[in-house]
Amino acid sequence: MPILPQSRHQYDNTCRGRCRSFWSRIINFDIWQNKRYVIWSLAIPSALFGYFVPYIHLVAYVKQVLGKDVNSQLLVQCLGVTSLVGRLAFGLVADRPWVNRILLQQISFFCIGLFTMLLTACNHMAFFIVIVLIMGLFDGCFISLLGPIAFDIVGPAGASQAIGCLLAICSIPLTFGPAIAGALYDHLGSYMVPFLCAGVPPIVGAFFLFTISFTKKLPEGVPGSPVREPLEKQNNAAADDPRETHRLMLEEQQSRV
């Protein structure tokens, strides 16, 4: 479906107005007036400090526990395969109208954190395989819900900016988390504490997301709310009849003329 044109804020011709006009073309400030999005965009990065630690350090940790001859690379492959399965399976589950997507993401974070810490209790390859298979499923659940939750919170008009800003913020913990775990290993000589610490942020982030449930939704029409325009004029909204979409676009062009 074609993207329908949307109105922009009008700014005065002062230096401040021109500056705000320039940045408004890059950043959608309206979504930051939505408290539910602010909470979500802070909770997700806070949960991701330990997210990449198993991906980066699991191979070395298993070799340290089971010996250098063990094929520990297999665990990363298992993690990736079940992550694919999790994206497909939980994507179908999240499409059900009775499913609370934020709660489902909370469950995935809690399980990722829990099973990351349980890796420190494993002493056999079979246990490692079972845990990483489960972790991969919930990893796929978390990833597949990012887009749908963004649409639920800010609506289709702000979803692209909401996802982009979230990923930009997430780059910080995703970058520094494994580095901090590596520094702890260099200092302690063991992966026990790094993996235990890596499991804490996802659990904390899961509980942090509960605050969204206690935050009121913005009224329709308020900047940053999920619905700011009539349904048929929302960005990327699908019309029942393509001719209706064409008519709406012609009306929009005529109104601008």
Side-chain angles (χ1 to χ4, degrees), residues 16-185:
R16 181 180 179 182
R18 291 195 297 268
C19 183
R20 293 189 64 184
S21 177
F22 170 77
W23 285 108
S24 68
R25 298 176 183 274
I26 302 174
I27 302 175
N28 185 351
F29 293 103
D30 288 345
I31 62 176
W32 295 101
Q33 299 180 40
N34 189 327
K35 292 182 180 179
R36 291 165 62 86
Y37 174 72
V38 173
I39 294 172
W40 187 62
S41 63
L42 294 177
I44 298 300
S46 68
L48 293 181
F49 271 99
Y51 177 76
F52 269 162
V53 171
Y55 285 93
I56 303 299
H57 298 288
L58 182 59
V59 172
Y61 171 59
V62 174
K63 288 184 179 295
Q64 185 184 64
V65 174
L66 302 179
K68 295 183 178 180
D69 296 332
V70 67
N71 184 19
S72 55
Q73 292 87 348
L74 175 65
L75 297 174
V76 180
Q77 297 173 9
C78 293
L79 194 60
V81 169
T82 51
S83 178
L84 169 64
V85 176
R87 297 178 196 213
L88 297 173
F90 284 103
L92 293 173
V93 172
D95 282 340
R96 304 302 91 184
W98 47 267
V99 172
N100 186 328
R101 292 169 177 171
I102 295 179
L103 179 60
L104 193 58
Q105 195 170 59
Q106 288 178 263
I107 295 173
S108 68
F109 272 134
F110 183 84
C111 292
I112 289 173
L114 176 64
F115 285 102
T116 298
M117 290 192 286
L118 285 178
L119 287 171
T120 60
C122 295
N123 56 6
H124 193 277
M125 188 62 174
F127 295 149
F128 279 109
I129 292 176
V130 171
I131 288 180
V132 297
L133 288 176
I134 298 174
M135 286 180 62
L137 288 174
F138 288 104
D139 170 78
C141 175
F142 152 67
I143 294 295
S144 64
L145 291 176
L146 289 177
I149 291 177
F151 271 78
D152 291 342
I153 295 177
V154 301
S160 59
Q161 277 274 333
I163 297 172
C165 291
L166 175 69
L167 294 179
I169 300 172
C170 288
S171 65
I172 299 173
L174 290 176
T175 300
F176 288 100
I180 295 173
L184 287 174
Y185 171 75

